[in-house]
Amino acid sequence: MPKLLSPLAQGLCAEVAHRGPISFHDFMARALYDLDYGYYGAGRARVGRSGDFFTNVSVGPLYGRLLARQFAEMWRRLGQPADFVLAEQGAHSGDAAADVLSGLREFDLDCFDATTLWLVEPNPRFEALQREKLREFPPGKTRWTKTLAELPPFRGVHYSNELVDAFPVHRVARRGDHWVERCVDFRDGHFIFVDAEMSDDSLRAHLSRLPPLPPGYETEVNLAAASWLHELQGRLEAGFVLVIDYGFPRAEYYRPERTNGTLSAYAAHRREPDPLQRPGEIDLTAHVDFTSLAEAAQIDGLKIAGFTDQHHFMVGLGRLHFPDDATLAAAAPKDLRAFKTLMHPGLMGQSFQAFCVAKNVAHEALAGFQFGRDPGRVLFG
């Protein structure tokens, strides 16, 4: 065993030696979520200017405050229930959660009083950060659960920012007229990709729905997203699921010229050339196939309530937050700069997509999706 390998890499080597090449799904799961050495599991993820990547929350508190505007509208669509749940998953340090609650407390006290914020957080390191960030709020206003299965049935909204793009994915490649799975082996001191048979029947079924693609084409498949949404909708009695993440509709995701998929590795705001090296030390991510997520939602009886890029989503919420010229003129300069960053097409406005599904609630256009195109046409062509 090479002495320079990290403990996580040594563990992965041992697994490969015992089992043979492992699926990239299993490799990514360990690299990101191993509690002792994983990038997220061990709390190594660094967000912001001095970290590895930017996200919406990095821009400042305006992002959470704009979401609060949308959540208050969703509360009213649900008939203003006295027990309204906001559930956030992938909250990291809890900044967005604090900004959402602060926004509701400022401009919709009735909704704030009705709201309980649940954070779905399996990692004790992140839970400790979240508790510290949210300690200003009254006892019982914030609660924690380690899994979706432990989340009580609720009426309200589940929301996430850059959660689904961090689910472990399968890597696949087109060889002639058939697909193979790209698995991970260890040779000559390095992790490498090798071809193997499919490890999952669901993977074969997913690939059968893709458009014709040329030999040599490589991409990834996120099977975990559909399973996650199925489990989540089982806890949701009535309300919405809002996903904000990198991604494309299927036709865009699997364009013939996107020959190497969307799998990426990042450290210190730079793209790493090889996602297999330095496991646990770098971020691994793959864009979301929102069409597959929409298909999974429809199978579970959920209604597509909106899909648009973040530019249009923020413009719609901006009309709630800055309703007239006087409000806009009185806005703090830092809020105006943050708004421009969040919605600017050349910055974050087209990088992120907003996707929303609804259950047991009247279907009317939500503020954040009022300027988006028809989601059915965009997602299903």
Side-chain angles (χ1 to χ4, degrees):
M1 184 72 65
K3 294 182 180 180
L4 296 179
L5 290 180
S6 69
L8 178 57
Q10 291 180 37
L12 287 164
C13 281
E15 188 171 352
V16 169
H18 176 68
R19 295 172 47 192
I22 62 174
S23 70
F24 179 73
H25 172 279
D26 291 353
F27 178 93
M28 184 173 176
R30 290 281 301 279
L32 292 183
Y33 299 110
D34 184 278
L35 288 178
D36 293 319
Y37 303 110
Y39 181 75
Y40 290 110
R44 295 180 177 183
R46 299 174 301 160
V47 182
R49 188 175 301 277
S50 62
D52 293 322
F53 57 90
F54 286 111
T55 185
N56 285 316
V57 184
S58 309
V59 176
L62 182 68
Y63 173 71
R65 293 166 65 80
L66 289 170
L67 289 183
R69 297 282 189 184
Q70 182 63 90
F71 299 154
E73 181 188 41
M74 291 169 164
W75 174 65
R76 291 190 290 273
R77 293 286 176 85
L78 284 166
Q80 302 182 24
D83 185 9
F84 178 65
V85 167
L86 292 177
E88 183 176 1
Q89 193 170 355
H92 197 67
S93 61
D95 288 328
D99 296 335
V100 165
L101 287 180
S102 295
L104 287 177
R105 183 171 56 187
E106 177 182 341
F107 52 71
D108 201 322
L109 190 57
D110 289 340
C111 183
F112 175 81
D113 289 341
T115 296
T116 301
L117 175 66
W118 282 84
L119 292 104
V120 181
E121 183 53 71
N123 190 307
R125 297 176 178 89
F126 288 140
E127 181 179 335
L129 292 173
Q130 294 158 13
R131 287 185 181 276
E132 176 65 22
K133 176 66 67 173
L134 296 165
R135 66 177 183 172
E136 66 172 284
F137 297 101
K141 180 59 66 175
T142 53
R143 300 180 183 180
W144 278 261
T145 178
K146 295 188 180 303
T147 66
L148 284 176
E150 297 170 355
L151 184 67
F154 69 97
R155 296 171 60 85
V157 183
H158 180 288
Y159 68 99
S160 61
N161 180 80
E162 288 196 71
L163 172 72
V164 182
D165 73 336
F167 287 174
V169 297
H170 293 269
R171 185 78 174 168
V172 296
R174 191 76 174 163
R175 300 288 185 243
D177 61 353
H178 67 283
W179 290 97
V180 298
E181 185 162 6
R182 298 284 277 160
C183 290
V184 180
D185 202 353
F186 188 80
R187 299 177 186 173
D188 301 323
H190 298 282
F191 291 104
I192 62 169
F193 279 113
V194 295
D195 288 355
E197 294 297 318
M198 295 291 170
S199 63
D200 193 308
D201 289 339
S202 298
L203 186 56
R204 294 187 181 89
H206 181 96
L207 292 170
S208 70
R209 296 193 292 270
L210 299 191
L213 293 167
Y217 191 94
E218 293 198 25
T219 189
E220 57 284 326
V221 174
N222 185 340
L223 296 178
S227 299
W228 164 78
L229 187 59
H230 176 73
E231 183 176 16
L232 172 56
Q233 70 84 28
R235 314 311 297 162
L236 180 66
E237 294 179 337
F240 303 89
V241 178
L242 176 64
V243 175
I244 299 176
D245 221 320
Y246 291 102
F248 307 109
R250 178 177 294 154
E252 173 70 14
Y253 198 112
Y254 297 109
R255 282 180 8 214
E257 57 268 32
R258 200 184 301 282
T259 56
N260 203 38
T262 70
L263 178 65
S264 301
Y266 289 97
H269 299 283
R270 293 190 299 270
R271 187 163 181 167
E272 294 287 306
D274 187 345
L276 298 183
Q277 306 314 315
R278 300 168 58 199
E281 301 175 31
I282 59 177
D283 186 30
L284 299 176
T285 179
H287 284 44
V288 179
D289 172 4
F290 281 105
T291 299
S292 290
L293 200 58
E295 289 174 341
Q298 291 181 329
I299 289 171
D300 284 327
L302 302 173
K303 304 297 183 183
I304 309 301
F307 178 67
T308 189
D309 59 66
Q310 184 165 290
H311 167 76
H312 289 92
F313 187 66
M314 288 295 155
V315 170
L317 297 185
R319 293 190 66 175
L320 295 178
H321 200 69
F322 308 113
D324 50 47
D325 292 341
T327 306
L328 192 61
K334 65 177 182 179
D335 282 346
L336 294 178
R337 288 194 299 270
F339 184 68
K340 290 178 181 178
T341 300
L342 290 168
M343 57 79 66
H344 195 288
L347 297 173
M348 306 178 95
Q350 289 189 343
S351 298
F352 290 96
Q353 310 294 319
F355 171 80
C356 186
V357 294
K359 181 177 182 179
N360 295 332
V361 58
H363 178 64
E364 299 176 38
L366 295 162
F369 298 98
Q370 61 184 306
F371 299 116
R373 295 166 55 197
D374 177 70
R377 290 187 177 183
V378 176
L379 289 165
F380 301 108

